[in-house]
Amino acid sequence: MIQPLQFATGGYDHIVHLWEVESDLSSASPQPLAIKHTSQVQSLLAIRDTSHKLVSAGADCNVHIWDLSSERVVNTLKTSNAVYHIHTTTSPFCSLLEVAHRDLQFEVRDHRLIPESPVQKFGYISDKVHGRFIKGDTWSQLFACGSRDGTVRLWDLRNVKALPAMIACRESQKIVQVVFKHSHLITCSESGQIRIIGYDEQNR
């Protein structure tokens, strides 16, 4: 969470809990939030647009926007496919979703009650969905994600229709997570092998 000494959890019980941690870190107390998911909660993201909010996404194809000050769901986005992961973007009003779709695995959505930006869907042709155990990352105007074929793909979110840059990382080995770290990409394969790839946004 953005607030100190707070964190949120969600899981197979369909419930999102907000936890308050004691100042001496000795314990934490949970409070269930009135967010109604009908399937497992798969991703949580703390954001701040006009106020502090918590975005929760589930296998039920619902993305709920919870306002912490008013303690209520202020908007719900309905997606066609289950959402695996949520990421921040440069706009505080938009989030990037990784979804269970074979060819359009990613969506950038405006989560305001009256959206000002259209939904952007993009991805690449694949014979299988990613599954929730592949996770990408955003940084500045970029989004990177691994794949089952050992390739990392890199998109410029200002033009998601353009072909992504492709980085061969681990031949025939699934890349389960990609993380931006300044001018580097850190990748992890399904066997736990870590690889750091030098990356320069200006020269890609």
Side-chain angles (χ1 to χ4, degrees):
M1 301 299 293
I2 297 172
Q3 295 85 342
L5 300 178
Q6 283 189 350
F7 66 95
T9 61
Y12 287 102
D13 60 1
H14 313 170
I15 300 173
V16 177
H17 286 92
L18 183 64
W19 295 73
E20 296 282 348
V21 182
E22 295 295 333
S23 57
D24 62 359
L25 308 182
S26 61
S27 63
S29 304
Q31 173 193 350
L33 303 182
I35 300 175
K36 298 189 182 302
H37 282 287
T38 58
S39 187
Q40 70 187 65
V41 180
Q42 301 198 135
S43 189
L44 296 166
L45 179 68
I47 62 170
R48 180 179 180 126
D49 45 24
T50 56
S51 64
H52 286 150
K53 293 182 174 69
L54 179 65
V55 185
S56 69
D60 57 2
C61 302
N62 286 321
V63 178
H64 297 297
I65 317 298
W66 175 268
D67 185 87
L68 272 75
S69 59
S70 61
E71 298 186 347
R72 65 188 181 93
V73 172
V74 293
N75 196 13
T76 295
L77 309 178
K78 298 285 188 179
T79 60
S80 299
N81 305 87
V83 179
Y84 296 135
H85 307 292
I86 319 169
H87 304 278
T88 59
T89 67
T90 54
S91 168
F93 302 105
C94 296
S95 300
L96 187 147
L97 312 179
E98 297 187 45
V99 301
H101 194 282
R102 198 173 63 181
D103 304 324
L104 297 171
Q105 298 93 341
F106 316 113
E107 302 180 5
V108 178
R109 286 182 173 256
D110 188 327
H111 45 68
R112 285 171 282 198
L113 196 58
I114 302 176
E116 296 182 14
S117 302
V119 177
Q120 297 184 73
K121 299 184 179 184
F122 63 101
Y124 65 96
I125 297 174
S126 176
D127 59 350
K128 294 181 180 179
V129 297
H130 269 186
R132 63 191 179 95
F133 298 110
I134 293 180
K135 184 178 181 181
D137 194 21
T138 56
W139 178 68
S140 183
Q141 299 283 2
L142 303 176
F143 172 69
C145 193
S147 62
R148 295 179 179 273
D149 62 6
T151 301
V152 173
R153 290 172 173 80
L154 186 65
W155 281 269
D156 187 328
L157 296 179
R158 292 165 292 191
N159 183 16
V160 296
K161 300 302 181 185
L163 290 175
M166 297 178 62
I167 304 168
C169 192
R170 295 284 180 187
E171 186 175 352
S172 302
Q173 190 171 144
K174 181 165 67 175
I175 305 300
V176 295
Q177 189 161 7
V178 177
V179 176
F180 280 104
K181 186 65 174 177
H182 304 302
S183 60
H184 293 80
L185 282 171
I186 303 172
T187 68
C188 180
S189 70
E190 62 182 338
S191 64
Q193 294 178 311
I194 306 295
R195 184 174 180 182
I196 301 174
I197 303 169
Y199 170 72
D200 184 343
E201 182 183 5
Q202 301 302 319
N203 296 323
R204 76 179 179 89

mmCIF file of all heavy atoms in Angstrom, residues 177-201:
data_model
loop_
_atom_site.group_PDB
_atom_site.id
_atom_site.type_symbol
_atom_site.label_atom_id
_atom_site.label_comp_id
_atom_site.label_asym_id
_atom_site.label_seq_id
_atom_site.Cartn_x
_atom_site.Cartn_y
_atom_site.Cartn_z
ATOM 1 N N GLN A 177 8.976 -14.295 -15.077
ATOM 2 C CA GLN A 177 8.855 -12.924 -14.578
ATOM 3 C C GLN A 177 9.921 -12.038 -15.193
ATOM 4 O O GLN A 177 11.058 -12.459 -15.415
ATOM 5 C CB GLN A 177 8.956 -12.870 -13.054
ATOM 6 C CG GLN A 177 8.608 -11.484 -12.510
ATOM 7 C CD GLN A 177 8.260 -11.497 -11.032
ATOM 8 O OE1 GLN A 177 8.399 -12.517 -10.367
ATOM 9 N NE2 GLN A 177 7.811 -10.370 -10.514
ATOM 10 N N VAL A 178 9.514 -10.801 -15.454
ATOM 11 C CA VAL A 178 10.408 -9.762 -15.957
ATOM 12 C C VAL A 178 10.225 -8.534 -15.077
ATOM 13 O O VAL A 178 9.093 -8.153 -14.759
ATOM 14 C CB VAL A 178 10.091 -9.398 -17.422
ATOM 15 C CG1 VAL A 178 10.996 -8.261 -17.913
ATOM 16 C CG2 VAL A 178 10.242 -10.613 -18.331
ATOM 17 N N VAL A 179 11.334 -7.918 -14.676
ATOM 18 C CA VAL A 179 11.289 -6.726 -13.832
ATOM 19 C C VAL A 179 12.227 -5.675 -14.406
ATOM 20 O O VAL A 179 13.373 -5.994 -14.757
ATOM 21 C CB VAL A 179 11.707 -7.052 -12.379
ATOM 22 C CG1 VAL A 179 11.760 -5.783 -11.535
ATOM 23 C CG2 VAL A 179 10.747 -8.059 -11.757
ATOM 24 N N PHE A 180 11.755 -4.442 -14.526
ATOM 25 C CA PHE A 180 12.618 -3.333 -14.922
ATOM 26 C C PHE A 180 13.428 -2.865 -13.724
ATOM 27 O O PHE A 180 12.905 -2.727 -12.614
ATOM 28 C CB PHE A 180 11.791 -2.154 -15.433
ATOM 29 C CG PHE A 180 11.323 -2.286 -16.854
ATOM 30 C CD1 PHE A 180 10.012 -2.614 -17.131
ATOM 31 C CD2 PHE A 180 12.196 -2.077 -17.914
ATOM 32 C CE1 PHE A 180 9.564 -2.728 -18.442
ATOM 33 C CE2 PHE A 180 11.766 -2.192 -19.220
ATOM 34 C CZ PHE A 180 10.448 -2.523 -19.491
ATOM 35 N N LYS A 181 14.690 -2.597 -13.955
ATOM 36 C CA LYS A 181 15.541 -1.979 -12.945
ATOM 37 C C LYS A 181 16.406 -0.951 -13.664
ATOM 38 O O LYS A 181 17.470 -1.278 -14.202
ATOM 39 C CB LYS A 181 16.404 -3.029 -12.238
ATOM 40 C CG LYS A 181 17.213 -2.481 -11.063
ATOM 41 C CD LYS A 181 16.315 -2.001 -9.928
ATOM 42 C CE LYS A 181 17.148 -1.592 -8.706
ATOM 43 N NZ LYS A 181 16.303 -1.059 -7.624
ATOM 44 N N HIS A 182 15.907 0.292 -13.695
ATOM 45 C CA HIS A 182 16.602 1.379 -14.390
ATOM 46 C C HIS A 182 16.827 0.990 -15.853
ATOM 47 O O HIS A 182 15.871 0.756 -16.569
ATOM 48 C CB HIS A 182 17.885 1.742 -13.669
ATOM 49 C CG HIS A 182 17.677 2.112 -12.237
ATOM 50 N ND1 HIS A 182 16.856 3.141 -11.849
ATOM 51 C CD2 HIS A 182 18.162 1.567 -11.092
ATOM 52 C CE1 HIS A 182 16.834 3.235 -10.536
ATOM 53 N NE2 HIS A 182 17.617 2.292 -10.039
ATOM 54 N N SER A 183 18.058 0.865 -16.301
ATOM 55 C CA SER A 183 18.339 0.563 -17.701
ATOM 56 C C SER A 183 18.536 -0.928 -17.944
ATOM 57 O O SER A 183 19.113 -1.325 -18.955
ATOM 58 C CB SER A 183 19.591 1.323 -18.159
ATOM 59 O OG SER A 183 20.705 0.947 -17.380
ATOM 60 N N HIS A 184 18.055 -1.759 -17.033
ATOM 61 C CA HIS A 184 18.207 -3.199 -17.177
ATOM 62 C C HIS A 184 16.860 -3.904 -17.051
ATOM 63 O O HIS A 184 15.928 -3.393 -16.419
ATOM 64 C CB HIS A 184 19.159 -3.770 -16.113
ATOM 65 C CG HIS A 184 20.573 -3.330 -16.263
ATOM 66 N ND1 HIS A 184 21.020 -2.095 -15.829
ATOM 67 C CD2 HIS A 184 21.655 -3.955 -16.807
ATOM 68 C CE1 HIS A 184 22.311 -1.972 -16.089
ATOM 69 N NE2 HIS A 184 22.715 -3.094 -16.680
ATOM 70 N N LEU A 185 16.779 -5.078 -17.670
ATOM 71 C CA LEU A 185 15.673 -5.984 -17.460
ATOM 72 C C LEU A 185 16.205 -7.192 -16.700
ATOM 73 O O LEU A 185 17.219 -7.773 -17.080
ATOM 74 C CB LEU A 185 15.094 -6.461 -18.801
ATOM 75 C CG LEU A 185 14.173 -5.500 -19.548
ATOM 76 C CD1 LEU A 185 13.884 -6.046 -20.946
ATOM 77 C CD2 LEU A 185 12.868 -5.320 -18.789
ATOM 78 N N ILE A 186 15.535 -7.547 -15.628
ATOM 79 C CA ILE A 186 15.897 -8.744 -14.877
ATOM 80 C C ILE A 186 14.844 -9.802 -15.189
ATOM 81 O O ILE A 186 13.656 -9.573 -15.008
ATOM 82 C CB ILE A 186 15.959 -8.464 -13.369
ATOM 83 C CG1 ILE A 186 16.957 -7.337 -13.081
ATOM 84 C CG2 ILE A 186 16.341 -9.724 -12.596
ATOM 85 C CD1 ILE A 186 16.953 -6.869 -11.640
ATOM 86 N N THR A 187 15.290 -10.953 -15.693
ATOM 87 C CA THR A 187 14.365 -12.009 -16.067
ATOM 88 C C THR A 187 14.606 -13.246 -15.211
ATOM 89 O O THR A 187 15.723 -13.504 -14.766
ATOM 90 C CB THR A 187 14.517 -12.400 -17.553
ATOM 91 O OG1 THR A 187 15.786 -13.045 -17.753
ATOM 92 C CG2 THR A 187 14.420 -11.177 -18.447
ATOM 93 N N CYS A 188 13.533 -13.994 -14.996
ATOM 94 C CA CYS A 188 13.629 -15.247 -14.249
ATOM 95 C C CYS A 188 12.930 -16.336 -15.049
ATOM 96 O O CYS A 188 11.776 -16.164 -15.464
ATOM 97 C CB CYS A 188 12.989 -15.106 -12.871
ATOM 98 S SG CYS A 188 13.068 -16.604 -11.874
ATOM 99 N N SER A 189 13.615 -17.459 -15.281
ATOM 100 C CA SER A 189 13.033 -18.575 -16.020
ATOM 101 C C SER A 189 12.312 -19.511 -15.063
ATOM 102 O O SER A 189 12.429 -19.401 -13.838
ATOM 103 C CB SER A 189 14.126 -19.334 -16.769
ATOM 104 O OG SER A 189 14.957 -20.022 -15.847
ATOM 105 N N GLU A 190 11.571 -20.467 -15.608
ATOM 106 C CA GLU A 190 10.811 -21.392 -14.763
ATOM 107 C C GLU A 190 11.713 -22.288 -13.925
ATOM 108 O O GLU A 190 11.289 -22.838 -12.904
ATOM 109 C CB GLU A 190 9.878 -22.248 -15.617
ATOM 110 C CG GLU A 190 10.575 -23.125 -16.632
ATOM 111 C CD GLU A 190 9.585 -23.917 -17.470
ATOM 112 O OE1 GLU A 190 8.441 -24.117 -17.006
ATOM 113 O OE2 GLU A 190 9.949 -24.330 -18.584
ATOM 114 N N SER A 191 12.990 -22.427 -14.315
ATOM 115 C CA SER A 191 13.928 -23.225 -13.529
ATOM 116 C C SER A 191 14.654 -22.390 -12.470
ATOM 117 O O SER A 191 15.533 -22.893 -11.777
ATOM 118 C CB SER A 191 14.949 -23.896 -14.450
ATOM 119 O OG SER A 191 15.735 -22.920 -15.105
ATOM 120 N N GLY A 192 14.293 -21.085 -12.389
ATOM 121 C CA GLY A 192 14.886 -20.223 -11.374
ATOM 122 C C GLY A 192 16.169 -19.541 -11.800
ATOM 123 O O GLY A 192 16.859 -18.948 -10.972
ATOM 124 N N GLN A 193 16.501 -19.582 -13.093
ATOM 125 C CA GLN A 193 17.710 -18.915 -13.580
ATOM 126 C C GLN A 193 17.439 -17.423 -13.784
ATOM 127 O O GLN A 193 16.463 -17.041 -14.424
ATOM 128 C CB GLN A 193 18.187 -19.551 -14.882
ATOM 129 C CG GLN A 193 18.660 -20.989 -14.705
ATOM 130 C CD GLN A 193 19.083 -21.605 -16.022
ATOM 131 O OE1 GLN A 193 18.373 -21.545 -17.025
ATOM 132 N NE2 GLN A 193 20.265 -22.199 -16.037
ATOM 133 N N ILE A 194 18.308 -16.613 -13.227
ATOM 134 C CA ILE A 194 18.188 -15.156 -13.328
ATOM 135 C C ILE A 194 19.124 -14.638 -14.408
ATOM 136 O O ILE A 194 20.289 -15.043 -14.476
ATOM 137 C CB ILE A 194 18.532 -14.474 -11.987
ATOM 138 C CG1 ILE A 194 17.681 -15.049 -10.845
ATOM 139 C CG2 ILE A 194 18.371 -12.968 -12.080
ATOM 140 C CD1 ILE A 194 16.206 -14.790 -10.960
ATOM 141 N N ARG A 195 18.613 -13.734 -15.242
ATOM 142 C CA ARG A 195 19.454 -13.111 -16.259
ATOM 143 C C ARG A 195 19.199 -11.618 -16.256
ATOM 144 O O ARG A 195 18.046 -11.182 -16.201
ATOM 145 C CB ARG A 195 19.155 -13.687 -17.645
ATOM 146 C CG ARG A 195 20.067 -13.140 -18.739
ATOM 147 C CD ARG A 195 19.840 -13.850 -20.052
ATOM 148 N NE ARG A 195 20.712 -13.323 -21.086
ATOM 149 C CZ ARG A 195 20.698 -13.730 -22.351
ATOM 150 N NH1 ARG A 195 19.860 -14.676 -22.730
ATOM 151 N NH2 ARG A 195 21.522 -13.211 -23.236
ATOM 152 N N ILE A 196 20.275 -10.829 -16.278
ATOM 153 C CA ILE A 196 20.182 -9.370 -16.325
ATOM 154 C C ILE A 196 20.565 -8.906 -17.719
ATOM 155 O O ILE A 196 21.654 -9.217 -18.205
ATOM 156 C CB ILE A 196 21.086 -8.717 -15.264
ATOM 157 C CG1 ILE A 196 20.678 -9.193 -13.860
ATOM 158 C CG2 ILE A 196 21.001 -7.194 -15.340
ATOM 159 C CD1 ILE A 196 21.595 -8.721 -12.764
ATOM 160 N N ILE A 197 19.662 -8.182 -18.360
ATOM 161 C CA ILE A 197 19.861 -7.734 -19.734
ATOM 162 C C ILE A 197 20.043 -6.232 -19.737
ATOM 163 O O ILE A 197 19.165 -5.496 -19.272
ATOM 164 C CB ILE A 197 18.659 -8.120 -20.618
ATOM 165 C CG1 ILE A 197 18.430 -9.642 -20.576
ATOM 166 C CG2 ILE A 197 18.855 -7.643 -22.051
ATOM 167 C CD1 ILE A 197 17.124 -10.065 -21.196
ATOM 168 N N GLY A 198 21.173 -5.755 -20.227
ATOM 169 C CA GLY A 198 21.388 -4.322 -20.347
ATOM 170 C C GLY A 198 20.421 -3.732 -21.346
ATOM 171 O O GLY A 198 20.200 -4.282 -22.420
ATOM 172 N N TYR A 199 19.836 -2.599 -20.976
ATOM 173 C CA TYR A 199 18.827 -2.007 -21.840
ATOM 174 C C TYR A 199 18.924 -0.498 -21.776
ATOM 175 O O TYR A 199 19.001 0.076 -20.689
ATOM 176 C CB TYR A 199 17.425 -2.462 -21.425
ATOM 177 C CG TYR A 199 16.337 -1.689 -22.136
ATOM 178 C CD1 TYR A 199 16.087 -1.902 -23.481
ATOM 179 C CD2 TYR A 199 15.648 -0.702 -21.475
ATOM 180 C CE1 TYR A 199 15.147 -1.152 -24.136
ATOM 181 C CE2 TYR A 199 14.701 0.051 -22.119
ATOM 182 C CZ TYR A 199 14.452 -0.176 -23.460
ATOM 183 O OH TYR A 199 13.524 0.574 -24.123
ATOM 184 N N ASP A 200 18.886 0.149 -22.944
ATOM 185 C CA ASP A 200 18.926 1.592 -23.038
ATOM 186 C C ASP A 200 17.711 2.040 -23.833
ATOM 187 O O ASP A 200 17.589 1.758 -25.008
ATOM 188 C CB ASP A 200 20.209 2.054 -23.740
ATOM 189 C CG ASP A 200 20.351 3.578 -23.773
ATOM 190 O OD1 ASP A 200 19.357 4.271 -23.563
ATOM 191 O OD2 ASP A 200 21.466 4.050 -24.020
ATOM 192 N N GLU A 201 16.783 2.738 -23.186
ATOM 193 C CA GLU A 201 15.554 3.153 -23.833
ATOM 194 C C GLU A 201 15.815 3.990 -25.083
ATOM 195 O O GLU A 201 15.118 3.909 -26.073
ATOM 196 C CB GLU A 201 14.682 3.948 -22.857
ATOM 197 C CG GLU A 201 13.355 4.385 -23.446
ATOM 198 C CD GLU A 201 12.542 5.230 -22.485
ATOM 199 O OE1 GLU A 201 13.047 5.558 -21.413
ATOM 200 O OE2 GLU A 201 11.404 5.585 -22.853
#
